Amino acid sequence: MACTAIIGLAACTGAVHAQTPAEPDARVADQADQADQRIQQLDAVVSTASRIRRGGFVAPTPTTQITAEEIAASGLTNIADVVNETPSVRPSMTPVSTVNNSSWSGGHYLDLRGLGFNRTLVLVDGKRFVPTQISGPVNINVIPQALIGNVDIVTGGASAAWGSDAVAGVVNFMFDHQLEGVRGEASYGSSDHGDYRSRRVSLAFGHRFGADRGHVLFGAEVADNSGIARLGDRDWGAQGWGTITNPAYTPDNGEPRILVVPNVVSAVNSFGGLINSGPLAGIHFDANGDPVPFRYGEIVSGNSMIGGDGAYTHVDQTLAAPQERRNVYGRVSYDITDATTLYVEGAWARSDSSPIPNLTRSDNSIRIHRDNAFLPGSIGDAMDAHGIDSFTMGRLSRDYARTVNEQESSTERVVVGLEGYFGDTWSWDGYYTYGSSESTMLAHNNRITSRYNAAIDAVFDPVTGAIVCRDAAARAAGCVPMNLFGEGAPSADAVGYVVGTAWRHWDLSQHAAAATVSGEPFETAAGPVSIAAGLEWRREEAIVTSDELSQAAEFVTGNTVPWEGAVNVREAFSEVVVPLANDRPWAKALDLNVAGRVTDYSTSGTVSTWKIGGLWDINDVWRLRATRSRDIRAPSLSELFSGSTTSIFSVLDQELGSTYSVQSLSSGNPGLEPEEADTTTIGVVVNPHPNLMLSLDYYNIDIDGAIITLEAAAIVNRCFGVQPQLCGLITRGDDGRISQVNTSPQNLQTMQLRGADLEALYRQPLGAGDLTVRALVSYVDTLELDDGEVVTRLAGSVEQPTIASVGGMPHWNGSLRASYATGPLTLGLGVRHVGGGKINHTFTEKDRNVLEASSRTYFDLNGAYDLTGNLSLFGTVRNVFDKDPPITSGGFATVRSLYDVIGRTYTVGMRFKF
């Protein structure tokens, strides 16, 4: 679902408006006229792939454009979902894939090429948007969507044009500044299961005033989605998929070491508590708190088993985070002279993730003493008979302390600018923008570790006979004893004592200013030389705060440490387009495009980026294009300044030849350098017929100094091996022993990505209407991460190591969209293909019984009917055949960042304009 500038033509697959029937040849001529009009419209703006403003110029960097018509035809209520369906974009960070990570839950973050959200630059009208995360990205939920005219996706390095983070490319959300009148939309959607209910209402208004010298623009939107409460609300999710160690495995037989199987539960805990040590092991407590025999499953291996009375975990996990978003945008522009325009913009957005219940971690070894006041009498007698004074119990606590995460985020942004023209070919623009983002995360019912430990150690008061906490200091502080024997046993007072609300709040601010000039200073024999140059400045700052208990690491999850930090950036850039040939027998046109940027960071100093590219129009049929660029990603504020936390780990000190415990210190690293990437693109565009356009682009991206964080044990081991430079992170005391290991982020990793993109567009009059077919295909040949010791191959795999990390990319992904418009009716068919791949390239048949995930192809239908010319109805059905995702592992059972886990969905709505 996209629109790419091919041979100077913006070819789009959106719904074709009703038109008077004409002869086929006349309709072909009409299409050519419409194409010419679109060319003129494109010439009036700056392409996202370049800072040059020149009629007829097309940048050599491949660029995909999604039009307003395509956005409307999709029926999707969030523009991020539309962008994520482009094959070159990996839907890594969505409300589905991040539901079990409170920092990201409910947000939409874009990931071009699958290189990570922090290597994709997001722009709004060609300007940076204030980050909504301390790690740098922008939550697309806060971008005003009612006024979006189109979205440009630059799928190549663009740091020379736009600065840091444009390693994988740029996504630029462009507003419709020419809107006249009022337009609006209202829609409602639901899944086939009656959940994932979505509602959206948007309104946009544009009007000229002051003898057409001024223009006012306004947009507002309200949208929400109910999410999906449980993984078990889907048939495939209710099967309880998990991984267990195969007890039949030996190194010499044909059995795999790990089994991926359904109905996996815990063998060491239950919802009411399971005794798992000593002679009483195998007794658990039912809902009444009575001891009963624990039914073990058919296969018991380690801490897991298949079937039985054990607690299950992921089935009750939230599958899709509920979300709400509201935004308002306004812009006023006025021509203060015939050549100068003043504009002011303001935007406000709120994006909230509704309370999401999660399960606390399993407690596998709760120590229960003989004198526990809540201990059933029969168990006490059995302990006496066996001569034991304690046992360990496993319990999964879904009856209390089920942490409920709630996130509230708001963003404000103001832009003030001047733009204008002088001479025959020169234009200029200058602006200042301020943006701020606030985010508050509330973790309700979060267990407080010290209170919990005191509350579960309950005894009888020897004087009063009342049940009290054993620890006198805890009693004095209000400790309420807790009964753990049986699901539902903890009293409301005890629960109120052991849980609390952890909170963390961050404030991010961005000040930015820029001035740009563009024009044609002189001509050569082949045509005018075009240049663009400018200066930019910005300051970004983060302030992170949290509650006192979190700062003392008292909660079972969360425990944010306060910190603050800021970065100042100064930049100068220039770009030039030099025509080398024009209207020659061997070249209709040949252009050289060169760009450079110098950036100075207050933390790491000066770095340069550049691009050189060429565009060769051999004739009206063939075009060749190529670029080579140096791009960067600067470290984020969190990577630079995160607060310090400590932990204890065991280390083998090869220098002393002994093993002992040491402290690790995790924090930001102000000494980080920007990552550097070298990007090559080579492409061909073919227009063999007026109705058919094809393009094929090869790309290669090599990243050096990518930022990663190693575990403390890995740092010590590598210090004595392949990476002696890591020894600088190790501190030794006066006795020669290691006293501390610094696990801060380091510029250690290299990354390589190589592949190709294919695009085809066909448009043809058919019967009384017009048929448009568009296909996008992405092939990933190589995606490798090398941290100096371990090389991870991710191309052709579906591996997802962690939620926010770079994940596997199937070799093949693609989309096809066909639409047919006749009179007031438009019908559309969409096909989305997500390739399969290895679960992990290192696994063999001796490792797992499931080694690969099969591909999935999803079919979508959409239609629209124009009732009056100002009022239309539309509807969509997505995943028509209700395809389930492939089963790849335990936990959430599949790769949520690749495959559709929602199932069939329906959307209906209306659009109006006047």
Side-chain angles (χ1 to χ4, degrees), residues 568-620:
N568 292 298
V569 186
R570 297 178 298 171
E571 301 183 273
F573 68 89
S574 63
E575 184 174 0
V576 60
V577 174
V578 180
L580 303 178
N582 185 41
D583 289 332
R584 297 293 183 90
W586 49 274
K588 182 179 179 181
L590 179 62
D591 289 339
L592 175 67
N593 182 204
V594 179
R597 177 180 289 256
V598 177
T599 304
D600 179 71
Y601 291 98
S602 58
T603 52
S604 57
T606 302
V607 62
S608 298
T609 55
W610 49 266
K611 180 190 75 172
I612 182 168
L615 210 63
W616 181 13
D617 287 347
I618 300 174
N619 49 42
D620 290 334

Coordinates of all heavy atoms in Angstrom, one line a residue, residues 568-620:
N568 N 23.2 19.1 23.2 CA 23.1 20.2 22.2 C 23.7 19.8 20.9 O 24.8 19.2 20.9 CB 23.8 21.5 22.7 CG 23.1 22.1 23.9 OD1 22.0 22.5 23.9 ND2 23.8 22.1 25.1
V569 N 23.1 20.2 19.8 CA 23.5 19.8 18.5 C 23.5 21.0 17.5 O 22.6 21.7 17.4 CB 22.6 18.7 17.9 CG1 23.2 18.2 16.5 CG2 22.4 17.5 18.8
R570 N 24.7 21.2 16.9 CA 24.8 22.2 15.8 C 25.2 21.6 14.5 O 26.0 20.7 14.5 CB 25.8 23.3 16.2 CG 25.5 24.0 17.5 CD 26.7 25.0 17.9 NE 27.9 24.2 18.1 CZ 29.1 24.8 18.3 NH1 29.2 26.2 18.2 NH2 30.2 24.1 18.5
E571 N 24.5 22.0 13.4 CA 24.7 21.3 12.1 C 24.7 22.4 11.0 O 24.0 23.4 11.1 CB 23.6 20.3 11.9 CG 23.5 19.2 12.9 CD 22.4 18.2 12.6 OE1 21.2 18.5 13.0 OE2 22.7 17.2 12.0
A572 N 25.5 22.0 10.0 CA 25.5 22.8 8.7 C 25.4 21.8 7.6 O 26.1 20.7 7.6 CB 26.7 23.7 8.6
F573 N 24.6 22.0 6.6 CA 24.5 21.1 5.5 C 24.4 21.8 4.2 O 24.1 23.0 4.1 CB 23.2 20.2 5.7 CG 21.9 20.9 5.5 CD1 21.3 21.1 4.3 CD2 21.3 21.5 6.6 CE1 20.1 21.7 4.1 CE2 20.1 22.2 6.5 CZ 19.5 22.3 5.2
S574 N 24.7 21.1 3.1 CA 24.6 21.6 1.8 C 24.3 20.4 0.8 O 24.7 19.3 1.1 CB 25.8 22.4 1.3 OG 26.9 21.6 1.3
E575 N 23.7 20.8 -0.3 CA 23.4 19.8 -1.3 C 23.4 20.4 -2.7 O 23.0 21.6 -2.8 CB 22.0 19.1 -1.1 CG 21.7 18.0 -2.0 CD 20.4 17.3 -1.7 OE1 19.7 17.7 -0.7 OE2 20.0 16.3 -2.4
V576 N 23.9 19.7 -3.7 CA 23.9 20.3 -5.0 C 23.5 19.2 -6.0 O 23.8 18.0 -5.9 CB 25.4 20.8 -5.3 CG1 26.4 19.7 -5.2 CG2 25.4 21.5 -6.7
V577 N 22.8 19.6 -7.1 CA 22.5 18.8 -8.2 C 23.1 19.4 -9.4 O 22.8 20.6 -9.8 CB 20.9 18.7 -8.4 CG1 20.6 17.9 -9.7 CG2 20.3 18.0 -7.2
V578 N 23.9 18.7 -10.1 CA 24.6 19.2 -11.3 C 24.2 18.3 -12.5 O 24.4 17.1 -12.6 CB 26.2 19.1 -11.1 CG1 26.9 19.6 -12.4 CG2 26.6 19.8 -9.9
P579 N 23.5 18.9 -13.5 CA 23.2 18.2 -14.7 C 24.4 18.0 -15.6 O 25.1 18.9 -15.9 CB 22.1 19.1 -15.4 CG 22.4 20.5 -14.8 CD 23.0 20.3 -13.5
L580 N 24.6 16.8 -15.9 CA 25.8 16.4 -16.7 C 25.5 16.2 -18.2 O 26.4 16.4 -19.1 CB 26.5 15.2 -16.2 CG 26.9 15.2 -14.7 CD1 27.5 13.8 -14.3 CD2 27.9 16.3 -14.5
A581 N 24.3 15.9 -18.5 CA 23.9 15.7 -19.9 C 22.4 15.9 -20.0 O 21.6 15.7 -19.1 CB 24.3 14.3 -20.4
N582 N 21.9 16.4 -21.2 CA 20.5 16.6 -21.4 C 20.2 16.5 -22.9 O 20.9 17.0 -23.8 CB 20.2 18.0 -21.0 CG 18.7 18.3 -21.0 OD1 17.9 17.4 -20.7 ND2 18.3 19.5 -21.5
D583 N 19.2 15.7 -23.2 CA 18.7 15.5 -24.6 C 19.9 15.0 -25.5 O 20.1 15.6 -26.6 CB 18.1 16.7 -25.1 CG 16.7 17.0 -24.5 OD1 16.1 16.0 -24.1 OD2 16.3 18.2 -24.4
R584 N 20.6 14.0 -25.1 CA 21.7 13.4 -25.9 C 21.2 12.1 -26.4 O 20.3 11.5 -25.8 CB 23.0 13.2 -25.1 CG 23.6 14.5 -24.5 CD 24.1 15.3 -25.7 NE 24.8 16.5 -25.2 CZ 26.1 16.6 -24.9 NH1 26.8 15.5 -25.0 NH2 26.6 17.7 -24.5
P585 N 21.8 11.6 -27.5 CA 21.4 10.2 -28.0 C 21.5 9.1 -26.9 O 20.7 8.2 -26.9 CB 22.3 10.0 -29.2 CG 22.7 11.4 -29.6 CD 22.8 12.2 -28.3
W586 N 22.4 9.3 -26.1 CA 22.7 8.2 -25.1 C 22.1 8.6 -23.7 O 22.2 7.8 -22.7 CB 24.2 8.0 -24.9 CG 25.0 9.3 -24.7 CD1 25.5 10.1 -25.7 CD2 25.3 9.9 -23.4 NE1 26.1 11.2 -25.1 CE2 26.0 11.0 -23.7 CE3 25.1 9.5 -22.1 CZ2 26.5 11.9 -22.8 CZ3 25.6 10.4 -21.1 CH2 26.3 11.5 -21.5
A587 N 21.6 9.8 -23.5 CA 21.0 10.2 -22.3 C 20.0 11.3 -22.5 O 20.3 12.4 -22.9 CB 22.1 10.7 -21.3
K588 N 18.7 10.9 -22.1 CA 17.7 12.0 -22.0 C 18.1 13.0 -21.0 O 17.9 14.2 -21.1 CB 16.4 11.4 -21.8 CG 15.2 12.4 -21.8 CD 13.9 11.7 -21.6 CE 12.8 12.8 -21.6 NZ 11.4 12.2 -21.3
A589 N 18.6 12.5 -19.8 CA 19.1 13.4 -18.7 C 20.1 12.6 -17.9 O 19.9 11.4 -17.7 CB 17.9 13.9 -17.9
L590 N 21.1 13.3 -17.4 CA 22.0 12.7 -16.5 C 22.4 13.7 -15.4 O 22.9 14.8 -15.7 CB 23.3 12.2 -17.2 CG 24.4 11.6 -16.4 CD1 23.9 10.3 -15.7 CD2 25.7 11.3 -17.2
D591 N 22.0 13.4 -14.1 CA 22.2 14.3 -13.0 C 23.2 13.7 -12.0 O 23.1 12.5 -11.7 CB 20.9 14.7 -12.4 CG 20.1 15.6 -13.2 OD1 20.6 16.2 -14.1 OD2 18.8 15.6 -13.0
L592 N 24.0 14.5 -11.4 CA 24.8 14.2 -10.3 C 24.3 14.9 -9.0 O 24.1 16.1 -9.0 CB 26.3 14.6 -10.5 CG 27.3 14.4 -9.3 CD1 27.5 12.9 -9.1 CD2 28.6 15.1 -9.6
N593 N 24.1 14.1 -7.9 CA 23.5 14.7 -6.7 C 24.5 14.4 -5.6 O 24.9 13.3 -5.3 CB 22.2 14.0 -6.4 CG 21.5 14.5 -5.2 OD1 20.7 13.8 -4.5 ND2 21.8 15.7 -4.8
V594 N 25.0 15.5 -4.9 CA 26.0 15.4 -3.9 C 25.5 16.2 -2.7 O 25.0 17.3 -2.8 CB 27.4 16.0 -4.3 CG1 28.4 15.9 -3.2 CG2 27.9 15.2 -5.5
A595 N 25.6 15.6 -1.5 CA 25.2 16.3 -0.2 C 26.2 16.0 0.9 O 26.9 15.0 0.9 CB 23.8 15.8 0.2
G596 N 26.3 17.0 1.8 CA 27.2 16.8 2.9 C 26.6 17.5 4.2 O 25.9 18.5 4.0
R597 N 27.0 17.0 5.3 CA 26.5 17.6 6.6 C 27.6 17.5 7.6 O 28.2 16.4 7.8 CB 25.2 17.0 7.1 CG 24.7 17.5 8.4 CD 23.4 16.7 8.8 NE 22.3 17.1 7.9 CZ 21.3 17.9 8.3 NH1 21.3 18.5 9.5 NH2 20.3 18.2 7.5
V598 N 27.8 18.5 8.4 CA 28.8 18.5 9.5 C 27.9 18.7 10.8 O 27.2 19.7 10.9 CB 29.8 19.6 9.4 CG1 30.7 19.6 10.6 CG2 30.7 19.4 8.1
T599 N 28.1 17.8 11.8 CA 27.3 17.9 13.0 C 28.2 17.9 14.2 O 29.2 17.1 14.3 CB 26.4 16.6 13.1 OG1 25.6 16.6 11.9 CG2 25.5 16.7 14.3
D600 N 27.9 18.8 15.1 CA 28.7 18.9 16.3 C 27.8 18.6 17.5 O 26.8 19.2 17.8 CB 29.3 20.3 16.5 CG 30.1 20.4 17.8 OD1 31.2 19.8 17.9 OD2 29.6 21.1 18.7
Y601 N 28.2 17.5 18.3 CA 27.4 17.1 19.5 C 28.2 17.6 20.7 O 29.4 17.4 20.8 CB 27.3 15.6 19.5 CG 26.4 15.0 18.4 CD1 26.9 14.5 17.3 CD2 25.0 15.0 18.6 CE1 26.0 14.0 16.3 CE2 24.1 14.5 17.6 CZ 24.7 14.0 16.5 OH 23.8 13.5 15.5
S602 N 27.4 18.0 21.7 CA 28.0 18.5 22.9 C 28.7 17.4 23.7 O 29.5 17.6 24.5 CB 27.0 19.2 23.8 OG 25.9 18.3 24.1
T603 N 28.3 16.1 23.4 CA 28.8 15.0 24.1 C 30.0 14.3 23.4 O 30.9 13.9 24.1 CB 27.7 13.9 24.3 OG1 27.1 13.6 23.0 CG2 26.6 14.4 25.3
S604 N 29.9 14.2 22.1 CA 30.9 13.4 21.4 C 31.8 14.2 20.4 O 32.6 13.6 19.7 CB 30.3 12.2 20.7 OG 29.3 12.6 19.9
G605 N 31.5 15.4 20.1 CA 32.2 16.2 19.2 C 31.7 16.2 17.8 O 30.5 16.0 17.6
T606 N 32.5 16.3 16.8 CA 32.1 16.6 15.4 C 32.1 15.3 14.6 O 33.0 14.5 14.7 CB 33.0 17.6 14.7 OG1 33.0 18.8 15.5 CG2 32.6 17.9 13.3
V607 N 31.1 15.1 13.7 CA 31.0 14.0 12.8 C 30.5 14.5 11.5 O 29.7 15.5 11.4 CB 30.1 12.9 13.4 CG1 28.7 13.4 13.6 CG2 30.2 11.6 12.6
S608 N 30.9 13.9 10.4 CA 30.5 14.3 9.1 C 29.7 13.2 8.4 O 30.0 12.0 8.6 CB 31.7 14.6 8.2 OG 32.4 15.7 8.7
T609 N 28.7 13.6 7.6 CA 27.9 12.6 6.8 C 27.8 13.2 5.4 O 28.0 14.4 5.2 CB 26.5 12.4 7.4 OG1 25.8 13.7 7.5 CG2 26.5 11.8 8.7
W610 N 27.6 12.3 4.4 CA 27.7 12.7 3.1 C 26.9 11.7 2.2 O 26.5 10.6 2.6 CB 29.1 12.8 2.5 CG 29.9 11.6 2.8 CD1 30.8 11.4 3.8 CD2 30.0 10.4 2.0 NE1 31.4 10.2 3.8 CE2 30.9 9.5 2.7 CE3 29.4 9.9 0.8 CZ2 31.2 8.3 2.2 CZ3 29.7 8.7 0.3 CH2 30.6 7.9 1.0
K611 N 26.5 12.2 1.0 CA 25.9 11.3 0.0 C 26.3 11.7 -1.4 O 26.4 12.9 -1.6 CB 24.3 11.4 0.1 CG 23.6 10.6 -0.9 CD 22.1 10.9 -0.9 CE 21.8 12.2 -1.6 NZ 20.4 12.4 -1.9
I612 N 26.5 10.8 -2.2 CA 26.8 11.0 -3.7 C 25.9 10.1 -4.5 O 25.8 8.9 -4.2 CB 28.2 10.9 -4.0 CG1 28.4 11.2 -5.5 CG2 28.8 9.5 -3.7 CD1 29.9 11.3 -5.9
G613 N 25.1 10.6 -5.4 CA 24.2 9.8 -6.2 C 24.1 10.3 -7.6 O 24.5 11.4 -7.9
G614 N 23.6 9.4 -8.4 CA 23.4 9.8 -9.8 C 22.1 9.2 -10.4 O 21.6 8.2 -9.9
L615 N 21.5 10.0 -11.3 CA 20.3 9.6 -12.0 C 20.5 9.7 -13.5 O 20.9 10.7 -14.0 CB 19.2 10.6 -11.5 CG 17.8 10.1 -11.4 CD1 17.7 8.9 -10.4 CD2 16.8 11.2 -11.1
W616 N 20.3 8.6 -14.2 CA 20.5 8.5 -15.6 C 19.3 8.1 -16.3 O 18.9 6.9 -16.3 CB 21.7 7.6 -15.9 CG 22.1 7.4 -17.4 CD1 21.7 8.2 -18.4 CD2 22.9 6.4 -17.9 NE1 22.3 7.8 -19.6 CE2 23.0 6.7 -19.3 CE3 23.6 5.3 -17.4 CZ2 23.7 5.9 -20.2 CZ3 24.4 4.6 -18.3 CH2 24.4 4.9 -19.7
D617 N 18.6 9.0 -16.9 CA 17.5 8.7 -17.8 C 18.0 8.4 -19.2 O 18.3 9.3 -20.0 CB 16.5 9.9 -17.9 CG 15.7 10.2 -16.6 OD1 15.7 9.3 -15.8 OD2 15.1 11.2 -16.5
I618 N 18.1 7.1 -19.5 CA 18.6 6.7 -20.8 C 17.7 7.1 -21.9 O 18.1 7.7 -22.9 CB 18.9 5.2 -20.8 CG1 19.9 4.8 -19.7 CG2 19.4 4.7 -22.1 CD1 20.0 3.3 -19.5
N619 N 16.4 6.9 -21.7 CA 15.4 7.3 -22.6 C 14.0 7.3 -21.8 O 14.1 7.3 -20.6 CB 15.3 6.4 -23.8 CG 15.3 4.9 -23.4 OD1 14.6 4.5 -22.5 ND2 16.0 4.1 -24.1
D620 N 12.9 7.3 -22.5 CA 11.6 7.4 -21.9 C 11.3 6.1 -21.2 O 10.3 6.0 -20.4 CB 10.5 7.8 -22.9 CG 10.6 9.2 -23.3 OD1 11.2 10.0 -22.6 OD2 10.2 9.5 -24.4

